[in-house]
Amino acid sequence: MSGLYESIDEFLNKCSESGDSAYSALRSLLERLENPETRIAARVFFARLQKKLHDDGASSQHCLQTYHFQIQDIYLQPDEGYQNRKKLTMMVIPSIFMPEDWSFTFFEGLNRHPDSIFKDRTVAELGCGNGWISIAIADKWLPSKVYGLDINPRAVKISWINLYLNAFDENGQPVFDQENKTLLDRVEFYESDLLSYCRDNHIELERIVGCIPQILNPNPDAMSKIITENASEEFLHSLSNYCALQGFVEDQFGLGLIARAVEEGIDIIKPMGIMIFNMGGRPGQGVCQRLFERRGLCVNKLWQTKILQASDTDISALVEIEKNNPHRFEFFMGLVGDQPICARTAWAFGKAGGRISHALSVYSCQLRHPNQVKKIFEFLKNGFHDISNSLDLSFEDDSVADEKIPFLAYLAGVLNDSSGFPYEPPIGSKRFRDLIAGFMRTYHHVPLSADNVAIFPSRATAIENALQLFSPRLAIVDEHLTRHLPRQWLTSLEIEDKKENKSATEGITVIEAPRQSDLMIELIKKLRPQVVVTGIAPFEAITSSAFEHLLRVTREIGSRLFIDISDQFELSSLPTSIGVLKYLARTPLPSHAAIVCGLLRNQVYTDLEVAFVISEEQTTFDALSRSVEILQGNTALTSQYYYGCLFHELLSFQLPDRRPPAEREAEDVKSRDMIGFSSSAISVLSQSELSVRETEKTSILHMDVDQIFLPTPTPVKAAIFESFARQNVTESECDVTPNLTQFVKNAYNFTVEHTAEVIYADFPLALFNKLVLCCIEEGGSLCIPAGSNGCYLSAAKFLNANIVSIPTQAELGFKLTEKQLSLVLESVNKPWVYISGPTINPTGLLYSNAEMKSLLTVCAKYGARVIIDTSFSGVEFNSKGWDGWNLDACLTGKPSFNVCLLGGLFFKIPSGGLAYGFLVLKQGFLANSFHCFLGLNKPHSTIRYTAKKLLELGEQKLDLTGVAQEQGIMLATRFNRLKETLEKCGWEVIEACGGVSMIAKPSTYLGKSIKLEKDGNTWEAKLSDTNIREAMLRATGLCINGPSWTGIPGYCRFTLALEDGDFDRALDCILKFKQLVK
């Protein structure tokens, strides 16, 4: 060729010097092919070169050994391609993957697709080698573009040469297809580690095909070398046969590189795209298919055959895997063997000269829920790769996949898009209530709004709360709904109203009744109960007649009616007709009736429950929704997320407001006088400081909530997602108790013996309330120090416990002292003492070990039962000189002393607001009595799994240790900033040492007047203990706890653990309030 090689012989002599020389010579020719001015001459030169080698009778092997390259024709079927092309002319060199059975089988699998598979599509081939498959795809199916990708830079150069050899004929003239394009218009080759080129250049693909290594390199260090054109031929060729560890569970089968390719493919493939991979059957067909299925892909095996194991591939790495793994790889003796042998046997057989083979399959796969799966993997690659091995999106039942994959995508979005969990009101997430109301409007034509829907942790909780709210002397309850009610209610025979001031466990008698409406109605007429709780029998549920009959009878008698529709309610786009909802579609719900619905019927988690209550009578609705706040604290957020996602999926495709709201006619019928709320409930609902509800027109900053809104640490997000992403989690993997007992030992030196019992709940408040019921049952007095958590005090009042307040003093930081405790216990019968510590909520002060020992000594002296509440402890920041607790030492010498430990994991471990309550009952501490009060909502298995993971991280002092220290530093900084701002504005601040709250007294504000004008309305007041909270809320939108909550005259409570922006805005509100009062 003029200007480069004078003759073909000169070119061959150059190539014969070495493999590197041959590659250099070929690269020079490629430069001529790339230049349009020299392209024809270069292509003619290649034609003459091929002819000379053919005329000389040089075999392919001879060429490879002598000249370090070979030109071969790959014959395709006679009817291949629109040109009826019978062959492709391809060049190979020793340092790249050569066409063989492996790639031929792959192309045969591609051939089994219909012709439209690649037509006008954007395609990428992974591990293109010398590019023959990319070129063949372009030649046969006319895609819009094929990107041939290979990590071997020499392979890319040779692929370009082959592209030119086939895009131009032997005379150097372009070969056009029926669309008047050449292969140069359709194919490009690039050096790329899997799909990195496409990802970096934002190329969306519609088809991905791959034929890449699936055996670990027996010399792992070799894979760490830098890949360059100048690397050795041996190293570059090894890239075709071996892969390195990729950090996937599939590495143990040699499939880690395929796994990475699939996940990269999920990221850049279009939603309806298809991935096709060549898979060696050595790990077994089940392992190969699971690789795709657990990543949310539907798999179709296109083609399978047997091929001989390549002689240049060392399978000793598979032998090593079998040594430490029960899994056995599958090889066969020769091509006709039909009994599989393991890798070790195959290796020995091969060493002895035998020929071994393995299955080779071509798999086509497509994303099951493309947009959602993409979102899941987007989350995983954003710092959560470690949990990708736990992900399992393989489902035999499509209905399970249709439910769980969208939820995982939603959860991934929540965890990825938000730094922490948001504040959700005790009545339930506004989004969740909107979705329930929307479902009712759309599918059952019941015109409800979120203001008619209250969320409860479970159906049993909703029923028990309703009964405690009204405290009826007699209630009739459907026999299917009594399982979780307190046993005392079911065994009492006291159906006459004998006393006014009943406790939560006294005076309520529950009579079980059959669900059949005629029998239920007969009992109602005879016994005249004050409350009726029942479901509808299946054969009566479709029509509304049974429900209407119950409404009439209970109205006439004066009974409150709670109707349960859980068994009939379906989360489906074609839900079963429900008679109760048919009635509601045409008639408002009467004031004496409410609907209870437990959401239990999901496809994945039979034990994941949440419930909602519907009432259209505002006073009853408000009281019922407040009962959740008072008795349970809140409903687990993940449960609301899960069912909210199901409702969203059923509503997302519906056109909004397609039908006008239903016209309903209220029945003009007067009811007899109904039972009202219990006196203790009325007292709490009217006098206690409960949460402030936001409206669509208001935005409230909450400094009144015992929750953490700090950024959720990455390990916590990972544990939450993993708990849902996994399938078939064993009970032992969710057993928190061994880790929790060690946690309690490490934190407080409190030994949990094997005879002790550990009980769990979604929130510590629910456990506290069960203890209060035990105290009431025993006839005890609950002794609570002044300045304790207002939520706990309200709950005890609601349950009508006999509460004794223990005085505390401002100069001692409102801490309980030995002297004050002794003075109270001297005159109290059967005392139960509540102590919040080590961190006292709400003051943020700490009890030293010596102080705790003296308090416990006093309690032991008077035979008091003690509830030590550690729920608000774990974040201590101004704790110099405080050495923690040693409860074992404090309890030494008090063998019969009854102490229980109440706590939560959301402060001691930086859990980002994830709630988890626990109670340790020592032997003899009313364990049997405690279990008489059922209906406790225990954390779901996913939450238990998460808690266990976090406790294990805490034990290993990994990941969370640094986060905990950072959290402590942040809260210390916030305390100082808040203290400085408050003092600047005239508040007296009590120095806090830990926790997430502090108290301060608005000394300069009390007695001053404030006048606010908004939307044409005027609000004016003289500031005092009773209205300081309301004034600040009205004036600034900042919600704090007032003195009625803290139980300390004049002192308000502020919480610190807000989101960063909210905390800064809260400080601005405090400054703004000063200006307004001024």
Side-chain angles (χ1 to χ4, degrees), residues 698-859:
T698 62
S699 179
I700 298 175
L701 287 172
H702 286 279
M703 276 189 139
D704 63 333
V705 181
D706 284 316
Q707 294 180 32
I708 290 182
F709 304 108
L710 301 177
T712 305
T714 297
V716 177
K717 289 184 175 182
I720 292 171
F721 190 82
E722 184 178 357
S723 70
F724 283 98
R726 285 192 56 188
Q727 292 190 47
N728 303 317
V729 177
T730 64
E731 189 59 34
S732 62
E733 290 176 295
C734 301
D735 185 6
V736 183
T737 302
N739 306 88
L740 184 72
T741 54
Q742 187 60 49
F743 164 78
V744 168
K745 177 67 176 176
N746 294 340
Y748 310 113
N749 279 299
F750 185 74
T751 302
V752 181
E753 299 95 346
H754 70 278
T755 54
E757 186 170 3
V758 184
I759 302 167
Y760 303 100
D762 287 334
F763 295 89
L765 177 59
L767 293 164
F768 171 78
N769 287 325
K770 297 302 180 185
L771 288 171
V772 173
L773 291 176
C774 289
C775 174
I776 296 170
E777 178 71 11
E778 191 183 59
S781 298
L782 186 62
C783 305
I784 300 182
S788 294
N789 186 285
C791 296
Y792 284 53
L793 191 61
S794 294
K797 288 179 178 177
F798 186 91
L799 297 173
N800 204 22
N802 181 26
I803 299 172
V804 177
S805 179
I806 308 175
T808 56
Q809 298 174 342
E811 56 269 23
L812 298 175
F814 302 104
K815 293 169 75 173
L816 182 60
T817 65
E818 180 182 0
K819 180 180 179 181
Q820 293 162 331
L821 182 60
S822 296
L823 289 173
V824 168
L825 294 187
E826 284 177 354
S827 57
V828 173
N829 183 40
K830 295 183 179 179
W832 286 54
V833 178
Y834 171 83
I835 302 175
S836 173
T839 303
I840 306 168
N841 185 303
T843 62
L845 272 70
L846 295 170
Y847 283 120
S848 69
N849 192 62
E851 288 173 323
M852 196 63 196
K853 185 174 183 178
S854 66
L855 292 176
L856 291 176
T857 300
V858 172
C859 290

Side-chain angles (χ1 to χ4, degrees), residues 63 66 147 272 286 460 499 501 536 582 598 695 699 734 867 1048:
C63 288
T66 305
Y147 295 96
M272 299 309 293
K499 54 182 178 179
N501 195 26
I536 302 289
K582 283 182 181 179
T695 67
S699 179
C734 301
I867 304 169
I1048 306 171

Side-chain angles (χ1 to χ4, degrees), residues 32-51:
R32 294 302 182 97
L33 288 168
E34 292 172 335
N35 185 345
E37 295 181 2
T38 58
R39 181 175 294 158
I40 293 176
R43 178 64 184 91
V44 171
F45 180 86
F46 269 106
R48 290 169 51 210
L49 174 64
Q50 185 178 15
K51 185 176 185 303

Side-chain angles (χ1 to χ4, degrees), residues 552 555-556 591-592 667-674:
R552 284 195 299 273
R555 182 192 298 118
E556 292 166 2
S591 60
H592 74 290
E667 293 184 355
D668 187 18
V669 180
K670 290 188 177 181
S671 302
R672 289 191 55 176
D673 290 340
M674 299 283 172

Side-chain angles (χ1 to χ4, degrees), residues 1020-1041:
E1020 190 171 2
K1022 180 177 286 188
L1023 296 178
S1024 66
D1025 277 11
T1026 59
N1027 63 17
I1028 186 73
R1029 183 197 197 208
E1030 182 182 4
M1032 181 166 279
L1033 178 63
R1034 285 177 175 270
T1036 67
L1038 176 64
C1039 190
I1040 61 174
N1041 292 118

